[in-house]
């Protein structure tokens, strides 16, 4: 794999750490800015909205610009937003910086996905995306727990400064490692790309990917209550369980990278039903740590293996829209990441208690598989299940 891919993954690591880190920083951040923890929690949906809106917006605005320049600008804006966030004493300003950072994050990922694919031969796209998305999984393994520890020792502002500092080598890496290129201005116009994106298989693949990612984050967001509740483990176990999920997700992305290009049907056929069985198994076995710990790791692997494979298929299905292909994949993944917690949060107040989000994940996976199966039976989703590599 080209070294530039690993530099892009470094930026993804910093950005995804920022996206997931707030849950461990809110107790110290809220009183410092004079707001309640509930109010401070609004920073998370603000970031999610920025991610969903930012991907297509930045991709469209960057249509006529070289990708390297756009990637570099995204990294620098992201770093600057965190520097301002670390300095401010205003919650409103901090909320604004989170939206700006999310826009930069979404724009970077929307451009980085097709850039990663362009850096390798067509038959290695899945492996290239596995390297890039490894930045996300490493963020869950090391970035988020590390940020929580750093915040506990030195305050939440220190975490923002570290993320701003990480953008410096990432920006240098983008500048040195990514070819200049000429953007996609010489390709189809944005209107033509929008027409190309109306295809049914692409929209269904995006929706299936969004549902799978929604299932992942519906439970990942609320693993802590499961650990401290039914499992009967102390709060000190929460980072360890989150790291287990992250370690599994890293393994899943790496494994899927070997099959996503030529054997996507195999990945879907194995991981889909396994996830459908796995989330209920975790809900039923959550009271036994001996079952909880390995299942969390396995479900992390299955979730990210399936999710990264679906992201690869979105790029293939959107090959007629080179400027907006990455935006499609980014929007699908982040729509799911935002939708999952919104759907599973109310389940905590039901009779299922902390196990509620796990059952919501099972329902979401079932919905994704039913949609994929129904579409396949009608002759759709060819690039999702066929074994041969599509033309690019």
């Amino acid at each position: 794999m080209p070294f530039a891919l690993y530099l892009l993954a470094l930026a993804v690591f910093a950005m995804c750490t920022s996206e997931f880190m707030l849950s461990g920083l809110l107790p110290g951040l809220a009183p410092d800015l004079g707001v309640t923890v509930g109010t401070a929690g609004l920073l998370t949906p603000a970031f999610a909205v920025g991610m969903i809106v930012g991907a297509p917006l930045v991709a469209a605005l960057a249509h006529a610009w070289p990708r390297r320049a756009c990637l570099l600008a995204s990294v620098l804006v992201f770093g600057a937003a965190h520097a301002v966030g670390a300095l401010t004493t205003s919650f409103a300003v901090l909320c604004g910086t989170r939206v700006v950072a999310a826009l930069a994050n979404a724009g970077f990922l929307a451009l980085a996905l097709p850039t990663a694919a362009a850096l390798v031969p067509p038959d290695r796209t899945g492996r290239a995306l596995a390297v890039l998305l490894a930045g996300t999984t490493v963020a869950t393994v090391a970035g988020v727990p590390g940020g929580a520890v750093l915040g506990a020792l030195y305050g939440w502002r220190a975490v923002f400064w570290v993320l701003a500092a990480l953008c410096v080598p990432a920006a240098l890496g983008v500048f040195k490692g990514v070819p200049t290129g000429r953007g996609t201005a010489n390709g189809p116009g944005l209107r033509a790309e929008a027409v190309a994106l109306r295809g049914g298989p692409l929209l269904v693949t995006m929706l299936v990917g969004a549902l799978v990612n929604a299932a992942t984050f519906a439970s990942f967001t609320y693993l802590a209550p499961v650990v401290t509740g039914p499992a009967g483990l102390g709060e000190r176990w929460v980072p360890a369980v989150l790291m287990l999920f992250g370690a599994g997700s890293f393994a899943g992305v790496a494994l899927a990278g070997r099959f996503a290009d030529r054997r996507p049907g195999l990945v879907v056929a194995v991981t889909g039903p396994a996830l459908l069985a796995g989330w209920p198994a975790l809900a039923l076995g959550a009271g036994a740590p001996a079952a909880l710990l390995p299942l969390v790791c396995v479900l992390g692997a299955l979730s990210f293996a399936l999710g990264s494979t679906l992201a690869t298929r979105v790029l293939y299905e959107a090959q007629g829209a080179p400027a907006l292909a990455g935006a499609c994949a980014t929007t699908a993944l982040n729509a799911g990441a935002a939708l999952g917690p919104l759907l599973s949060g109310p389940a905590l107040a039901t009779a299922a208690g902390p196990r509620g989000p796990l059952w919501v994940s099972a329902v979401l996976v079932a919905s994704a598989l039913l949609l994929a199966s129904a579409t396949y039976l009608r002759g759709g989703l060819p690039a999702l299940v066929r074994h041969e590599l599509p033309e690019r």
Side-chain angles (χ1 to χ4, degrees):
M1 291 288 106
F3 185 63
L5 278 176
Y6 297 95
L7 300 173
L8 291 174
L10 173 63
V12 172
F13 165 76
M15 293 179 176
C16 288
T17 297
S18 176
E19 182 178 1
F20 304 144
M21 69 181 181
L22 279 182
S23 59
L25 301 179
L26 291 182
L29 182 151
D32 190 26
L33 296 179
V35 297
T36 65
V37 172
T39 299
L42 295 175
L43 295 170
T44 297
F47 198 95
V49 170
M51 287 289 291
I52 295 170
V53 173
L57 178 63
V58 175
L61 293 176
H63 181 63
W65 293 87
R67 276 186 181 161
R68 185 175 73 175
C70 295
L71 288 167
L72 184 61
S74 296
V75 173
L76 294 177
V77 169
F78 182 85
H82 281 76
V84 173
L87 291 170
T88 188
T89 58
S90 166
F91 177 75
V93 172
L94 180 61
C95 195
T97 65
R98 294 300 289 168
V99 174
V100 171
L103 290 170
N105 185 353
F108 180 88
L109 193 56
L111 297 169
L113 287 170
T115 298
L119 289 173
V120 298
D123 62 347
R124 304 194 75 185
T125 296
R127 292 195 181 190
L129 295 194
V131 172
L132 186 69
L133 294 177
T136 301
T137 59
V138 174
T140 62
V141 175
V144 174
V149 172
L150 184 64
L153 294 175
Y154 301 105
W156 65 271
R157 297 179 189 274
V159 182
F160 276 65
W161 280 120
V162 168
L163 291 174
L166 280 177
C167 291
V168 175
L172 291 174
V174 169
F175 182 76
K176 292 288 187 180
V178 177
T180 303
R182 295 189 177 183
T184 56
N186 295 327
L190 289 178
R191 182 173 297 180
E193 291 200 15
V195 172
L197 294 177
R198 293 177 183 174
L202 170 64
L203 296 178
V204 173
T205 304
M206 289 177 61
L207 184 55
V208 172
L211 287 170
V212 169
N213 216 39
T216 302
F217 284 91
S219 289
F220 176 75
T221 305
Y222 299 108
L223 275 180
V226 176
V227 174
T228 58
L233 299 173
E235 292 185 1
R236 294 182 179 180
W237 277 89
V238 173
V241 173
L242 295 178
M243 289 179 68
L244 275 176
F245 187 92
S249 66
F250 182 84
V253 167
L255 183 63
R258 297 183 175 273
F259 297 98
D261 291 307
R262 296 192 177 276
R263 303 298 301 273
L266 177 63
V267 178
V268 175
V270 171
T271 59
L275 275 175
L276 184 58
W279 288 120
L282 182 59
L284 295 173
L292 172 73
L293 299 179
L295 277 173
V296 163
C297 186
V298 170
L299 286 169
L302 294 171
S303 296
F304 275 79
L306 182 55
S308 62
T309 298
L310 291 170
T312 302
R313 308 325 295 176
V314 168
L315 288 186
Y316 279 130
E317 289 286 1
Q319 57 187 305
L324 299 178
C328 290
T330 302
T331 299
L333 294 176
N334 283 285
L339 178 65
L342 290 177
L343 293 176
S344 64
L348 291 168
T350 67
R355 292 181 171 89
L358 305 176
W359 291 110
V360 172
S361 292
V363 172
L364 289 168
V365 170
S367 301
L369 295 181
L370 285 173
L371 176 61
S373 300
T375 307
Y376 175 63
L377 291 175
R378 292 198 302 267
L381 287 182
L384 178 60
V385 298
R386 66 188 175 203
H387 288 182
E388 71 272 12
L389 184 69
E391 295 291 335
R392 283 182 56 192

